[in-house]
Amino acid sequence: MDGDWRTIIEPFRIKSVEPLRFTTLEERERALERTGYNVFGLGRAEVLIDLLTDSGTGAMSAEQWAGMQRGDESYAGATSYDRFATAVSELTGMAHVIPVHQGRAAERILFAEMVHQGDIVPNNTHFDTTRANIEYDKAEAIDLPCAEADDTQAEAPFKGNMDVERLSSTLAANPGRVPLVILTVTNNTVGGQPVSMANVRAVRAVCDRFGVPLVLDAARFAENSWLVIQREDGYRDRTPREVAQELFSLADGVMMSAKKDGLANIGGFLALRDDELAANCRALLILTEGFPTYGGLAGRDLEAIAQGLQEVLDPDYLRYRVRTAEYLAQRCWDAGVQTVRPPGGHAVYIDAGAMLAHVPRAAFPAHALVVELYRLGGVRAVEVGSVMFGPAAQHELVRLALPRRVYTQSHIDYVAEVIQAVYERRTGVGGYQIVWEPPFLRHFTARFAPV
Ligand code: F0G
């Protein structure tokens, strides 16, 4: 019977708990009025199930907490750095490991070195901080997602892939202007969709042809590796660690937010092969993050990440992780709610444009759905549509991001019930207008009113 049971259980038991606080409909409505109908303004005690992000919101293991106790807080030469650097080097095969306080710090440092005014940086799809850091350096960030990513309902296994033809023509048309190519694994912006190993290899070959380095934005590398094992020919019998090592072997550098697949609440790193580039990045690190053996983190954080990078590649963990997203997506489909297909690793993305078809784009249907999920059930999700991206938004999506090892199946069942309840009363859900917005990144602080 080993392995034949139908129920995929959470592969952990819980020994430290945090109570949830239940609110009434009236309390939630008052909270929405106070925050200008923006769920970023809610306090933790006002939210029942928090699916705003999977970043830094996971639960650490007993072994990670043990590592926290061992944390060596020496300014220079901490043993915690040695453990961290060894864990990252063994995984990535890269000689230089530079700790940073989170992913965007790795982006800022690497781009300050590599990206110059007028340059072009292609990515399968840039995450918003990656794009912003490139644009800050007065360069152009371009997205080259594969064609299948356009259609939320297409069942392609690797919708995170890069369009290799367009990469090739971009490089041919812009000699000397492309300092690096980035692949984001998994591709968060198009729905947490994986990139196939065949695509990474094809991108690598194009980079080699044009002599341009390839850097991975590896925030969710373990989920990507698991989905490769599940979906790509020739990987069935490989371990997640072997697949991850093969993935990293194809790159020249890695930018990592350890708040995702590092299973840590804070932290990240830059891993590089090139000695001179690494030396220059370390010099910048000292300027704003800290000495190269801690880089903006405490020794205890380095321990948590070193341990997290081992645990995240456990097949039992990854099976449960990906199964949770599939399960929630299936519950949505059973209720008649469309999500981005197939489900990816870290989140389920509801197609709010389809669900609230009567709400015009100008009245922000995905935002309206976010508000209603909170109003009705205390569930906090995030809008990925016209509020976040303006007229450039491709779809009106609501992301339900799944914090790692935090919620159980009954929490997910509850979320599904709330989604179904909203779906059943969808025609009564109206749109919103923006009454105040900041000059950039408006989704975090804009205020809204019902129309
Ligand atoms: N790259 C990707 C693909 C990300 O998803 C994120 C963060 C970053 C880089 C930046 O890392 O937050 O540690 O500075 N994504 C979070 C999210 C915020 O909610 O998807 P960071």
Side-chain angles (χ1 to χ4, degrees):
M1 265 319 270
D2 283 357
D4 286 345
W5 302 105
R6 268 183 299 113
T7 311
I8 295 173
I9 63 170
E10 289 84 0
F12 48 80
R13 57 182 183 176
I14 298 163
K15 74 168 166 194
S16 177
V17 300
E18 194 178 23
L20 294 178
R21 187 173 160 271
F22 293 85
T23 51
T24 62
L25 185 67
E26 293 70 46
E27 278 179 280
R28 294 193 295 276
E29 286 179 343
R30 270 203 307 280
L32 283 168
E33 272 174 48
R34 189 195 77 235
T35 60
Y37 297 89
N38 189 333
V39 295
F40 278 99
L42 296 169
R44 179 262 193 244
E46 292 172 320
V47 177
L48 185 61
I49 306 285
D50 202 351
L51 307 184
L52 189 68
T53 178
D54 64 319
S55 180
T57 53
M60 291 211 296
S61 66
E63 280 306 314
Q64 284 179 294
W65 284 108
M68 298 285 278
Q69 280 295 327
R70 202 170 48 218
D72 175 356
E73 306 304 342
S74 303
Y75 190 94
T79 52
S80 295
Y81 173 76
D82 297 335
R83 260 190 292 275
F84 169 82
T86 302
V88 176
S89 278
E90 282 179 1
L91 180 62
T92 62
M94 299 197 189
H96 302 287
V97 179
I98 301 173
V100 294
H101 80 275
Q102 62 182 80
R104 65 199 70 183
E107 294 163 9
R108 192 188 52 77
I109 289 171
L110 186 68
F111 300 160
E113 261 316 301
M114 295 189 82
V115 179
H116 303 101
Q117 184 164 359
D119 284 349
I120 294 172
V121 181
N123 197 325
N124 42 352
T125 314
H126 290 276
F127 180 66
D128 58 6
T129 59
T130 321
R131 168 176 292 280
N133 271 301
I134 289 165
E135 291 172 354
Y136 184 78
D137 292 325
K138 302 200 162 44
E140 192 187 344
I142 59 166
D143 292 336
L144 301 175
C146 65
E148 295 95 317
D150 280 353
D151 177 1
T152 62
Q153 299 308 298
E155 278 286 356
F158 291 105
K159 288 164 90 173
N161 281 354
M162 180 179 264
D163 185 331
V164 181
E165 290 303 312
R166 282 174 66 203
L167 174 66
S168 191
S169 56
T170 303
L171 287 164
N174 296 284
R177 285 183 67 199
V178 180
L180 78 161
V181 171
I182 304 172
L183 268 178
T184 303
V185 295
T186 56
N187 188 334
N188 186 5
T189 311
V190 306
Q193 298 290 317
V195 178
S196 71
M197 209 63 96
N199 189 248
V200 182
R201 254 184 258 111
V203 167
R204 173 81 247 177
V206 172
C207 287
D208 284 345
R209 186 141 49 84
F210 290 91
V212 175
L214 173 62
V215 171
L216 297 176
D217 177 349
R220 299 179 182 85
F221 75 93
E223 291 168 9
N224 201 92
S225 300
W226 182 254
L227 291 167
V228 162
I229 292 171
Q230 301 305 304
R231 299 180 187 176
E232 190 162 355
D233 285 345
Y235 287 91
R236 272 249 143 231
D237 298 324
R238 307 280 293 280
T239 65
R241 171 170 288 273
E242 286 167 351
V243 177
Q245 284 169 331
E246 182 178 333
L247 172 71
F248 290 126
S249 76
L250 293 164
D252 299 292
V254 176
M255 303 181 291
M256 174 76 188
S257 168
K259 299 174 73 172
K260 285 87 169 173
D261 278 351
L263 296 180
N265 300 119
I266 194 71
F269 58 81
L270 191 55
L272 298 167
R273 295 190 198 281
D274 186 86
D275 299 339
E276 193 187 330
L277 178 61
N280 293 342
C281 287
R282 282 203 177 94
L284 279 180
L285 184 83
I286 296 176
L287 205 60
T288 54
E289 290 279 301
F291 191 74
T293 58
Y294 71 85
L297 293 169
R300 63 182 84 101
D301 300 322
L302 298 171
E303 295 278 352
I305 297 166
Q307 176 65 21
L309 290 173
Q310 314 294 331
E311 292 176 12
V312 78
L313 291 166
D314 175 1
D316 292 335
Y317 161 77
L318 286 167
R319 184 177 299 111
Y320 135 82
R321 173 77 180 150
V322 166
R323 178 63 196 143
T324 307
E326 284 169 3
Y327 178 78
L328 179 55
Q330 185 66 53
R331 293 287 310 260
C332 289
W333 305 337
D334 292 347
V337 173
Q338 283 184 20
T339 71
V340 172
R341 285 173 181 262
H346 73 293
V348 170
Y349 294 66
I350 297 178
D351 189 338
M355 178 159 160
L356 301 180
H358 60 285
V359 178
R361 275 198 131 175
F364 306 123
H367 182 76
L369 179 55
V370 167
V371 172
E372 194 58 17
L373 289 169
Y374 174 70
R375 197 187 70 87
L376 214 61
V379 174
R380 177 156 69 173
V382 74
E383 196 259 14
V384 182
S386 294
V387 176
M388 190 179 270
F389 297 119
Q394 221 185 349
H395 303 291
E396 299 293 331
L397 303 177
V398 168
R399 184 182 78 169
L400 303 155
L402 301 163
R404 293 170 180 76
R405 307 189 291 202
V406 169
Y407 294 117
T408 63
Q409 184 167 351
S410 61
H411 292 115
I412 301 300
D413 284 334
Y414 171 82
V415 171
E417 194 181 333
V418 173
I419 293 168
Q420 180 165 6
V422 172
Y423 181 70
E424 280 162 7
R425 61 176 306 285
R426 64 192 179 281
T427 52
V429 178
Y432 286 83
Q433 60 182 359
I434 294 180
V435 292
W436 179 83
E437 63 181 293
F440 48 83
L441 293 176
R442 66 180 179 177
H443 50 288
F444 293 116
T445 53
R447 294 184 68 84
F448 300 81
V451 289

